[in-house]
Amino acid sequence: MSRQFLAEGLELSGGDYGVVAVVAVVALAALAVGYVLLREVLAAGQGTPKMQEIAKAVQEGAAAYLKRQRNTLSIFGVVVFLLLFALPAEGWSERIGRSLFFLVGAAFSFTIGYLGMWLATQANLRVAAASREVGGRETAMRVAFRTGGVVGMITVGLGLFGAAIVVLAYAGQAPKVLEGFGFGAALIAMFMRVGGGIFTKAADVGADLVGKVEQNIPEDDPRNAATIADNVGDNVGDCAGMAADLFESYAVTLVAALILGSTAFGKDGLLFPLIVPGIGVITAVIGVYITKARSGENGLVTINRSFYISAIISAVLCAVAAFLFLPSSFAGFGADHASIGGNPAVIATVSVIIGIVLAAVILRLTGYFTGTEHGPVKNVGKTSETGPATVILSGISVGFESAVYTAVVIAAAVFGAYLLGGMVALFAVALAGTGLLTTVGVIVAMDTFGPVSDNAQGIAEMSGEVDEKAAQILTELDAVGNTTKAITKGIAIATAVLAATALFGSYSDSIAKALATAGQAAASLPATFLNNIVSANTLVGVIIGAAVVFMFSGLAVNAVSRAAGAVVFEVRRQFRDIPGIMEGTTRPEYGKVVDIVTRDSLRELATPGLLAVFAPIAVGFGLGTGALAGYLAGAIATGTLMAIFLANSGGAWDNAKKLVEDGNHGGKGSEAHAATVIGDTVGDPFKDTAGPAINPLIKVMNLVSVLIAPAVVQFSIGPDASLGVRIAIALVAVAVIVVAVVVSKRRSTVIAEPASEKAEPAKAG
Amino acid sequence: MSRQFLAEGLELSGGDYGVVAVVAVVALAALAVGYVLLREVLAAGQGTPKMQEIAKAVQEGAAAYLKRQRNTLSIFGVVVFLLLFALPAEGWSERIGRSLFFLVGAAFSFTIGYLGMWLATQANLRVAAASREVGGRETAMRVAFRTGGVVGMITVGLGLFGAAIVVLAYAGQAPKVLEGFGFGAALIAMFMRVGGGIFTKAADVGADLVGKVEQNIPEDDPRNAATIADNVGDNVGDCAGMAADLFESYAVTLVAALILGSTAFGKDGLLFPLIVPGIGVITAVIGVYITKARSGENGLVTINRSFYISAIISAVLCAVAAFLFLPSSFAGFGADHASIGGNPAVIATVSVIIGIVLAAVILRLTGYFTGTEHGPVKNVGKTSETGPATVILSGISVGFESAVYTAVVIAAAVFGAYLLGGMVALFAVALAGTGLLTTVGVIVAMDTFGPVSDNAQGIAEMSGEVDEKAAQILTELDAVGNTTKAITKGIAIATAVLAATALFGSYSDSIAKALATAGQAAASLPATFLNNIVSANTLVGVIIGAAVVFMFSGLAVNAVSRAAGAVVFEVRRQFRDIPGIMEGTTRPEYGKVVDIVTRDSLRELATPGLLAVFAPIAVGFGLGTGALAGYLAGAIATGTLMAIFLANSGGAWDNAKKLVEDGNHGGKGSEAHAATVIGDTVGDPFKDTAGPAINPLIKVMNLVSVLIAPAVVQFSIGPDASLGVRIAIALVAVAVIVVAVVVSKRRSTVIAEPASEKAEPAKAG
């Protein structure tokens, strides 16, 4: 970090402002393309009145959930806004900008989630309708993928636009303001991931336990009171949560690159990381428009082709941009950089390509481990012949193994960029992150494809107005969606590692600056401030960081179980108390179940959310910055493995079930099928609740640490040093976590009670 | 590490030799007490001829397995002996001593495992026989616990004797030789844990899948060809593997304390860490002799009381020893230490007490999370009413949650000792480890109790010569054993963290010495040698370290599935090809199944074993010492959480099944029971294969790192520096791992093939 304070005297020239303004215009153009795609989606046919009626119920439920979530999160947002305002800052401009753009980031994150959800509820109906027409497969696939295109364009458009505006408005102070922007995006995305994840899986598991297991009626049967809630869940979890999450990945990675870039290269470091994702916008548009289903070709092949083509175009354009905008030696950056060897344009190009290649490798790895045509899922399917226990064990093995390979590949990318970068190693890592970003537009489009197809299938099933051929089309699209969803999660977690590694530099920088302010040299720090990993203090931090990931995962899984329990009791009650449901003569009260899941999932997201924000505060103030650095490393490492393990185990179980349903190992209704249904149910909260929420979790904890680091130093050294204040803050943070955990544990007892109410003992699968 | 080279000029006075000699005599006395207890156990009644016949078959199978394992491990031992011999050393005495005591540690580890197993096979029969007598409960419990006492005495006796001999023989060079001793113990223990763990669970799961699930015959039914193998497994896994593991925990923790002690305090630092476990020997004898079952009292209460009484006695005696043997100020250690504040006797006392209290807290935490009378297991039992999926999810939640609390408690103990120790922080951590060691004698006795009761039940069941009252006694003892087994695993992993933290100091020391030899200052190291955790390079190490733990766990679980598959095919074959088995007129060929499991488990242990040894070599030589430090931190943190997660999930599932079998939620034969059986089957490889093997894994990787550190430095800096050599070594290590993984993956296909042979499709549970 020899060049750590360079960014301060940073001034942009008129030409630089011009480049940033062009990037901002590109970002707005992305939004315009999104609008054009949106018009196209909305223009598609809307099917029969019955289908529309069902879609409307889902739309209303989803909108009601997000409205209540917005109210809950607003309170949280205001509190964090004030806390952020109170943290140390250099001058009022930085203080106000940081808090203000925290709100902007949060608002963008929420808006994208909301739009993603709204759009999906519109598209579901249209995809279901398209499947009934002549040439339905191609139309359905186009509508689904274009819907994803809209979300993708909004994600990259708003992310890039926000960052460009901050750079235009704040120039040299941009890094600090960007921290606020990224933090707002990550925090809201985490809540939307957790809340949506609990909603979708509580409704899904609850619906299955009573419907499929107890009453023996098929999935999405309209007699099941939880069906609408289940379909609402697909939209608020897989669409809203996912869109917010990918926006956050985009924003935070970009923020990390800009912060590191300005530190390493001054203004060129602010410009180039904006140009790369700008190129990504262009290639994403190409990727969305070239995706055309060919008859007889698996949908995944079509989508993968678009991905590869746009990735290659990105790589070429980025190389051109690097040689146009960056000098060919470090001497070009002035006397300060003259001693650094290597060619900045080459380093930047290779770093960006590392990021793009990383995305492609994760795509292939995830496809291999969760796709129905490869060994791992086939093997899980085979173990269904010896019962559910072997299905669970083989799925867990697949998850562990794939997590290892993916983590090692991510680590190799980080290490490669790091070696390549030499003196500007962390910036090279961040540039690899921006390389990854160029693929985000297409990735979002791929991911949205999944829940939209899933929901279209639900609408088709419930309306009963779709023939067998159309149903077949929708089932195929749904299976493709399972794999694209798993791929997105892998890529999202890769952005988390790259961004977090880069933010580590920002963390050191914050501490060094704060020490300089306190007039203290790093060498005279108390022992608990050492970052040396070979120290008990740092090691303790690593252990606690790993522990928080386990805690967070456990809380999320538990929250699903609890909320699903409440759904089970309500659906049972309706079957018992409302006559005529089973005969199909009376409509169940769908709204009641939606209300219950809405209430429970919003209540349940508090504990993991508080844990994410307050654990780094407790460690930082309580144990010092060395332990906090260890904490981050532990959380990143364990979080990466856990996130992929959970996502891929879940994906493998889901597709193993599909394999059996396709007639293997005895087919639907066999004991083998029952075994894979159990695997799938276990995998549901793994892959859709706990797993994907770990990505924003890592970023929230990183950004909290970067933001509080100066305050920790301030209370530890120099005139304001006070062990009492530090311990008081740490104790408050610990108390918040303990109270949150205890409250959520008490809830478990309350909800479990009505079990005695049920008419007869539940039957196991 | 300001005092890092102090140990070199170390000379012991005559009086010091006297103290060490007394410790050696105490160690021999422990062995003598073990012999007395052994005579008592062997003198107990041996039951009916039919019982003896069964016990004999089990004894023979277990002995045959260990004999073949000894042959396999001998080859491995010789290879490592030679590699160790080739590593850099200061002079021939160190080089020879290190390799020689590697063999001694390995031999001790194997011997204790062998004796533990042999003794258990003797004791099983006698406990089963005792249960048939008047006052059977008290006698059975006494025999089982005294058997544990023998193993406990041998464990502490040989561990302490070995360490004392090294100190007597090598004085100043003892630390390097002790590294060899600890490494030998840990390496063999890891193989015995992995091999035994695969054996026991492959036989168990295989027997259950055909017997209980397909043929609907009870557990331990003599018509099942895998029954004897299942009972052999209990002995080679739970007894031999566990005994070797605890010996290794004892030896490595002691080694770490001696290394750190000599660095911090010279000869006093070599003496005091020997005195503390010496005291532990005395209190363990007391603990074993005061354990007497009271009628109407739960066996766990009896055992816990003995633990607490001996822990309190240990604490008091250690405090007395600290004030007798340590000076009251650091000035007592000479001018070099004069500036250190604090009272060494107080620091030592409090550190030891931290270790003892840590053991007690883990005992309570584990008891809470896995005991049948507390909330968590009751809750898992309750979820059995909604089927296997909810049982799996709730058990996983219990595992995650308990892992977090246990890891945080361990971290708190490390941090407490670290803050307390000031300038001698790592030594304080190591002393906390020796405090923990004072409880090992009783802990081993507690643990052995579990498999002995389990096996006694098996013999009773198979012989059919035990009445209902006696069977009830054995069932109660077995449930107590489930919890004591989980407790031992928690304590073993705590020793891993304490020892590893302390060994971190030794790692730094090795590097500093090697740098001094190369005439290089740490400041001028290449970037990949920095230990700063806020560096991409170290972070990459942390990720890889965490990944290796996931890989190891996945490999172990997979190995069980594969080996269990082979058992399933063989048992099915016997039922099909040998007429009269099902009618009970023909005896199945038990020996064949034992042979198959023996062959498979020895073959399967190679891959995880090679991973443990070669992964640190690849990281160290390939990425540098900074990444290797990160690697260790990642492995320790993730390993701790994963080990406890696996152990406690498994324990909770096992006891939830017992809850249902006791008549709750529908009792035996209900759907709820089937759901808990599935949970228990999933938990089997978790708690008895993957989970417990992580403890020696961590220590093996730590010791490999400490041992190779000088070589890494040698090839990186100074006259011998060669990037080519480093990369070549790293590539060889990576190649070994890749080949091992690929070979084990191929095996999976071969074994799965005969599935087509079976007469009719298997039925799922």
Side-chain angles (χ1 to χ4, degrees):
Chain A
M1 289 289 93
S2 58
R3 255 156 288 282
Q4 58 208 12
F5 303 153
L6 200 73
E8 276 174 30
L10 192 68
E11 294 219 357
L12 296 184
S13 71
D16 299 334
Y17 277 114
V19 173
V20 179
V22 168
V23 170
V25 170
V26 168
L28 291 176
L31 296 176
V33 172
Y35 183 73
V36 172
L37 289 170
L38 171 64
R39 292 285 300 264
E40 193 184 331
V41 170
L42 292 182
Q46 301 190 43
T48 68
K50 188 151 183 199
M51 287 164 74
Q52 289 172 23
E53 186 197 341
I54 294 163
K56 193 149 177 290
V58 174
Q59 284 159 14
E60 285 171 5
Y65 168 76
L66 283 187
K67 202 174 151 193
R68 276 176 70 169
Q69 186 174 47
R70 189 195 60 204
N71 297 344
T72 311
L73 295 188
S74 299
I75 302 168
F76 209 88
V78 170
V79 172
V80 175
F81 173 86
L82 294 175
L83 286 176
L84 212 53
F85 203 81
L87 280 175
E90 295 175 24
W92 281 100
S93 162
E94 180 183 309
R95 189 182 294 273
I96 294 172
R98 188 177 61 190
S99 286
L100 190 70
F101 273 85
F102 162 77
L103 290 185
V104 173
F108 277 13
S109 200
F110 185 83
T111 305
I112 289 170
Y114 189 90
L115 282 175
M117 181 281 295
W118 176 80
L119 198 65
T121 59
Q122 300 294 330
N124 304 333
L125 174 63
R126 290 165 171 83
V127 170
S131 72
R132 301 167 75 234
E133 295 164 17
V134 184
R137 182 171 174 276
E138 284 67 31
T139 321
M141 190 162 161
R142 200 187 62 234
V143 174
F145 200 73
R146 294 273 155 109
T147 306
V150 182
V151 186
M153 287 303 135
I154 302 175
T155 303
V156 298
L158 282 185
L160 195 54
F161 184 71
I165 293 297
V166 172
V167 171
L168 281 176
Y170 288 89
Q173 281 176 325
K176 284 284 152 197
V177 176
L178 285 168
E179 282 172 11
F181 180 65
F183 181 48
L187 188 68
I188 295 302
M190 187 185 70
F191 280 120
M192 293 187 81
R193 260 299 193 197
V194 173
I198 295 171
F199 191 119
T200 180
K201 290 305 137 180
D204 189 3
V205 172
D208 286 357
L209 284 178
V210 185
K212 283 198 213 168
V213 180
E214 287 179 18
Q215 303 289 345
N216 215 8
I217 56 177
E219 187 156 353
D220 289 327
D221 190 297
R223 289 171 293 179
N224 191 328
T227 326
I228 294 287
D230 185 8
N231 280 283
V232 170
D234 289 344
N235 292 292
V236 300
D238 294 344
C239 293
M242 179 277 298
D245 181 14
L246 281 175
F247 168 70
E248 166 276 321
S249 296
Y250 193 86
V252 174
T253 311
L254 190 50
V255 162
L258 289 169
I259 294 175
L260 266 290
S262 68
T263 306
F265 291 123
K267 60 180 188 169
D268 283 306
L270 271 180
L271 297 185
F272 192 66
L274 281 176
I275 294 171
V276 174
I279 291 171
V281 168
I282 298 165
T283 49
V285 173
I286 299 173
V288 171
Y289 275 102
I290 60 173
T291 306
K292 285 202 170 65
R294 298 180 188 173
S295 63
E297 184 180 72
N298 183 306
L300 201 56
V301 176
T302 316
I303 293 180
N304 280 348
R305 188 174 48 235
S306 306
F307 173 85
Y308 288 121
I309 293 175
S310 49
I312 290 169
I313 299 176
S314 283
V316 172
L317 291 182
C318 287
V320 172
F323 284 92
L324 276 180
F325 285 91
L326 295 175
S328 62
S329 93
F330 282 93
F333 294 102
D336 189 41
H337 287 68
S339 63
I340 309 181
N343 180 333
V346 172
I347 291 177
T349 304
V350 179
S351 300
V352 169
I353 290 175
I354 284 177
I356 295 173
V357 170
L358 175 61
V361 173
I362 291 177
L363 184 105
R364 288 201 77 90
L365 265 181
T366 313
Y368 175 75
F369 279 103
T370 65
T372 45
E373 67 275 29
H374 300 289
V377 169
K378 281 189 184 160
N379 186 42
V380 175
K382 204 184 277 169
T383 58
S384 68
E385 294 185 13
T386 38
T390 45
V391 169
I392 300 291
L393 287 172
S394 59
I396 285 176
S397 287
V398 168
F400 278 160
E401 203 183 334
S402 61
V404 171
Y405 299 141
T406 312
V408 168
V409 167
I410 296 174
V414 171
F415 198 75
Y418 168 81
L419 280 188
L420 178 79
M423 292 292 286
V424 292
L426 288 183
F427 182 50
V429 174
L431 275 186
T434 62
L436 206 68
L437 289 190
T438 63
T439 68
V440 163
V442 176
I443 292 292
V444 173
M446 284 170 68
D447 190 317
T448 308
F449 187 89
V452 167
S453 315
D454 190 3
N455 239 276
Q457 212 189 0
I459 290 175
E461 193 89 36
M462 284 171 68
S463 68
E465 297 190 349
V466 171
D467 61 20
E468 202 166 309
K469 195 181 131 275
Q472 182 57 37
I473 292 173
L474 293 175
T475 305
E476 187 213 320
L477 296 188
D478 186 24
V480 171
N482 268 343
T483 303
T484 59
K485 272 167 66 183
I487 291 169
T488 317
K489 286 165 198 159
I491 295 204
I493 198 72
T495 70
V497 178
L498 292 173
T501 311
L503 284 173
F504 249 10
S506 175
Y507 175 80
S508 295
D509 210 27
S510 277
I511 291 172
K513 266 194 196 170
L515 286 173
T517 310
Q520 193 97 4
S524 62
L525 274 176
T528 47
F529 276 76
L530 293 178
N531 291 328
N532 193 326
I533 196 164
V534 184
S535 124
N537 145 55
T538 315
L539 185 63
V540 164
V542 179
I543 293 174
I544 298 178
V548 166
V549 172
F550 272 71
M551 188 82 190
F552 185 84
S553 307
L555 285 171
V557 170
N558 242 331
V560 171
S561 306
R562 269 199 298 271
V567 172
V568 168
F569 298 127
E570 174 60 21
V571 178
R572 275 185 191 150
R573 187 196 65 77
Q574 294 200 15
F575 271 123
R576 196 179 55 224
D577 295 353
I578 308 178
I581 290 189
M582 203 60 193
E583 296 74 32
T585 52
T586 320
R587 242 177 72 152
E589 298 170 2
Y590 298 126
K592 276 234 166 119
V593 181
V594 174
D595 282 349
I596 288 173
V597 189
T598 300
R599 183 197 66 202
D600 280 16
S601 51
L602 290 178
R603 205 162 56 180
E604 293 285 355
L605 63 71
T607 309
L610 292 171
L611 179 70
V613 174
F614 285 92
I617 296 178
V619 172
F621 286 97
L623 311 183
T625 59
L628 186 55
Y631 172 89
L632 290 177
I636 294 168
T638 306
T640 304
L641 284 149
M642 186 69 95
I644 305 167
F645 157 60
L646 294 171
N648 289 0
S649 291
W653 279 318
D654 197 347
N655 273 340
K657 188 186 70 174
K658 290 226 182 308
L659 259 191
V660 174
E661 287 174 352
D662 278 356
N664 302 292
H665 313 294
K668 257 192 173 172
S670 65
E671 295 275 4
H673 185 234
T676 55
V677 169
I678 291 168
D680 184 38
T681 309
V682 172
D684 271 342
F686 275 31
K687 74 179 196 305
D688 290 321
T689 312
I694 292 176
N695 163 37
L697 168 77
I698 290 176
K699 285 161 184 154
V700 166
M701 297 200 301
N702 247 287
L703 285 162
V704 168
S705 305
V706 170
L707 289 163
I708 64 168
V712 173
V713 174
Q714 186 189 334
F715 289 125
S716 308
I717 284 161
D720 298 332
S722 161
L723 188 61
V725 171
R726 271 180 55 196
I727 291 177
I729 295 176
L731 286 181
V732 169
V734 169
V736 168
I737 296 170
V738 170
V739 169
V741 170
V742 169
V743 167
S744 85
K745 289 217 138 294
R746 282 185 172 251
R747 205 178 291 146
S748 122
T749 333
V750 177
I751 293 186
E753 240 19 86
S756 51
E757 272 184 25
K758 67 188 186 238
E760 46 159 9
K763 288 208 185 76
Chain B
M1 289 289 96
S2 56
R3 253 158 289 280
Q4 59 209 10
F5 302 153
L6 200 73
E8 276 173 29
L10 192 67
E11 295 218 357
L12 296 183
S13 69
D16 299 333
Y17 278 114
V19 173
V20 179
V22 168
V23 170
V25 170
V26 168
L28 291 176
L31 296 177
V33 172
Y35 183 72
V36 172
L37 288 170
L38 170 65
R39 293 286 298 265
E40 192 183 332
V41 171
L42 292 182
Q46 301 191 43
T48 68
K50 186 148 185 204
M51 288 165 73
Q52 288 172 24
E53 184 197 342
I54 294 164
K56 193 148 176 289
V58 174
Q59 283 160 15
E60 285 170 5
Y65 168 76
L66 283 187
K67 200 173 153 196
R68 277 176 68 168
Q69 187 174 46
R70 187 196 60 204
N71 297 344
T72 311
L73 295 188
S74 299
I75 302 167
F76 208 88
V78 170
V79 172
V80 175
F81 173 85
L82 294 175
L83 286 177
L84 211 54
F85 203 81
L87 279 177
E90 294 174 27
W92 283 99
S93 162
E94 182 183 306
R95 189 182 294 274
I96 295 171
R98 188 177 61 189
S99 286
L100 189 71
F101 273 85
F102 162 78
L103 291 185
V104 173
F108 277 14
S109 200
F110 185 83
T111 305
I112 289 170
Y114 189 90
L115 281 175
M117 182 280 295
W118 176 80
L119 197 66
T121 58
Q122 300 293 331
N124 303 333
L125 173 63
R126 290 165 172 83
V127 170
S131 71
R132 303 165 76 236
E133 295 165 15
V134 183
R137 182 172 175 276
E138 283 67 29
T139 319
M141 191 163 160
R142 199 187 64 235
V143 173
F145 199 74
R146 294 274 156 108
T147 306
V150 182
V151 185
M153 286 301 135
I154 302 173
T155 302
V156 299
L158 281 186
L160 194 54
F161 185 70
I165 293 297
V166 172
V167 171
L168 281 176
Y170 289 88
Q173 282 176 324
K176 283 283 152 200
V177 176
L178 284 169
E179 282 171 12
F181 180 64
F183 182 48
L187 188 68
I188 294 303
M190 187 184 69
F191 280 120
M192 293 188 79
R193 260 297 193 197
V194 174
I198 295 171
F199 190 119
T200 179
K201 290 305 137 180
D204 188 2
V205 172
D208 286 357
L209 284 178
V210 186
K212 283 198 214 168
V213 179
E214 288 179 20
Q215 303 289 347
N216 215 9
I217 55 178
E219 187 157 352
D220 288 325
D221 190 297
R223 289 170 295 177
N224 192 328
T227 326
I228 294 288
D230 185 10
N231 280 283
V232 170
D234 289 344
N235 293 292
V236 298
D238 294 345
C239 293
M242 179 278 296
D245 181 14
L246 281 174
F247 169 70
E248 166 276 319
S249 296
Y250 192 88
V252 175
T253 310
L254 190 50
V255 163
L258 289 169
I259 294 174
L260 266 290
S262 67
T263 307
F265 292 123
K267 60 182 189 169
D268 283 304
L270 272 180
L271 297 185
F272 192 66
L274 282 176
I275 294 171
V276 173
I279 291 172
V281 167
I282 297 165
T283 50
V285 174
I286 299 174
V288 170
Y289 275 101
I290 60 174
T291 305
K292 284 203 172 65
R294 298 179 189 174
S295 63
E297 184 181 73
N298 183 305
L300 200 57
V301 176
T302 315
I303 293 180
N304 281 347
R305 187 175 48 235
S306 305
F307 174 85
Y308 287 121
I309 292 175
S310 50
I312 291 170
I313 299 176
S314 283
V316 171
L317 291 182
C318 288
V320 172
F323 284 92
L324 276 180
F325 285 90
L326 294 175
S328 61
S329 94
F330 281 93
F333 294 102
D336 189 41
H337 287 67
S339 64
I340 308 179
N343 179 333
V346 172
I347 291 177
T349 304
V350 178
S351 299
V352 168
I353 289 175
I354 284 177
I356 295 173
V357 169
L358 176 61
V361 172
I362 291 176
L363 184 105
R364 289 202 76 90
L365 264 180
T366 314
Y368 175 75
F369 279 103
T370 64
T372 45
E373 67 276 28
H374 300 290
V377 170
K378 281 189 182 161
N379 186 42
V380 175
K382 204 183 279 170
T383 59
S384 68
E385 295 185 12
T386 39
T390 45
V391 169
I392 300 293
L393 287 173
S394 59
I396 286 177
S397 288
V398 168
F400 278 161
E401 203 184 334
S402 61
V404 171
Y405 299 142
T406 312
V408 168
V409 167
I410 296 174
V414 171
F415 199 74
Y418 169 80
L419 279 188
L420 177 80
M423 292 293 286
V424 291
L426 289 183
F427 183 49
V429 173
L431 275 187
T434 61
L436 206 67
L437 290 190
T438 62
T439 68
V440 163
V442 176
I443 293 289
V444 174
M446 283 171 69
D447 191 316
T448 309
F449 187 91
V452 167
S453 314
D454 190 3
N455 239 276
Q457 212 189 0
I459 290 174
E461 193 88 35
M462 284 170 70
S463 68
E465 297 190 350
V466 171
D467 62 19
E468 201 166 312
K469 196 180 131 276
Q472 182 58 36
I473 291 173
L474 293 175
T475 305
E476 187 212 320
L477 295 188
D478 186 24
V480 171
N482 269 343
T483 301
T484 59
K485 272 168 65 183
I487 291 170
T488 318
K489 287 165 197 159
I491 294 201
I493 198 71
T495 69
V497 178
L498 291 172
T501 310
L503 283 173
F504 248 8
S506 175
Y507 175 79
S508 295
D509 210 26
S510 277
I511 291 173
K513 265 193 198 172
L515 285 174
T517 310
Q520 192 96 3
S524 62
L525 273 174
T528 46
F529 276 74
L530 294 176
N531 292 328
N532 193 324
I533 194 164
V534 185
S535 124
N537 146 56
T538 315
L539 185 63
V540 164
V542 178
I543 293 174
I544 299 177
V548 166
V549 171
F550 272 72
M551 189 83 192
F552 185 85
S553 308
L555 285 171
V557 170
N558 243 331
V560 171
S561 305
R562 268 199 299 272
V567 172
V568 168
F569 298 127
E570 174 60 22
V571 177
R572 275 185 191 149
R573 188 196 66 76
Q574 294 200 13
F575 270 123
R576 195 181 55 224
D577 295 353
I578 307 177
I581 290 190
M582 201 60 193
E583 296 74 32
T585 52
T586 321
R587 242 177 70 151
E589 299 170 2
Y590 299 126
K592 276 237 166 116
V593 182
V594 174
D595 281 349
I596 289 174
V597 190
T598 300
R599 183 198 68 203
D600 280 17
S601 52
L602 289 178
R603 203 162 59 179
E604 293 285 355
L605 63 72
T607 309
L610 291 171
L611 178 70
V613 174
F614 285 93
I617 295 177
V619 172
F621 286 96
L623 311 183
T625 57
L628 186 55
Y631 172 89
L632 290 177
I636 294 168
T638 306
T640 305
L641 283 149
M642 187 69 94
I644 305 168
F645 157 60
L646 294 171
N648 289 1
S649 290
W653 279 319
D654 197 347
N655 272 340
K657 188 187 71 174
K658 288 227 182 311
L659 257 191
V660 174
E661 286 174 353
D662 279 355
N664 302 293
H665 312 292
K668 257 191 174 173
S670 65
E671 294 275 4
H673 184 234
T676 54
V677 168
I678 291 167
D680 183 37
T681 309
V682 171
D684 270 342
F686 276 30
K687 73 179 197 305
D688 290 322
T689 313
I694 292 176
N695 162 38
L697 168 77
I698 291 177
K699 285 161 185 154
V700 166
M701 297 201 300
N702 247 287
L703 285 161
V704 169
S705 305
V706 170
L707 288 163
I708 65 168
V712 173
V713 173
Q714 186 189 331
F715 289 125
S716 309
I717 284 162
D720 299 332
S722 162
L723 188 61
V725 171
R726 269 182 55 197
I727 290 178
I729 295 176
L731 285 182
V732 168
V734 169
V736 168
I737 295 171
V738 170
V739 169
V741 170
V742 169
V743 167
S744 85
K745 289 218 139 287
R746 282 183 170 253
R747 203 176 292 146
S748 119
T749 332
V750 177
I751 293 186
E753 239 21 84
S756 53
E757 272 184 27
K758 68 186 188 243
E760 46 158 9
K763 288 209 186 75

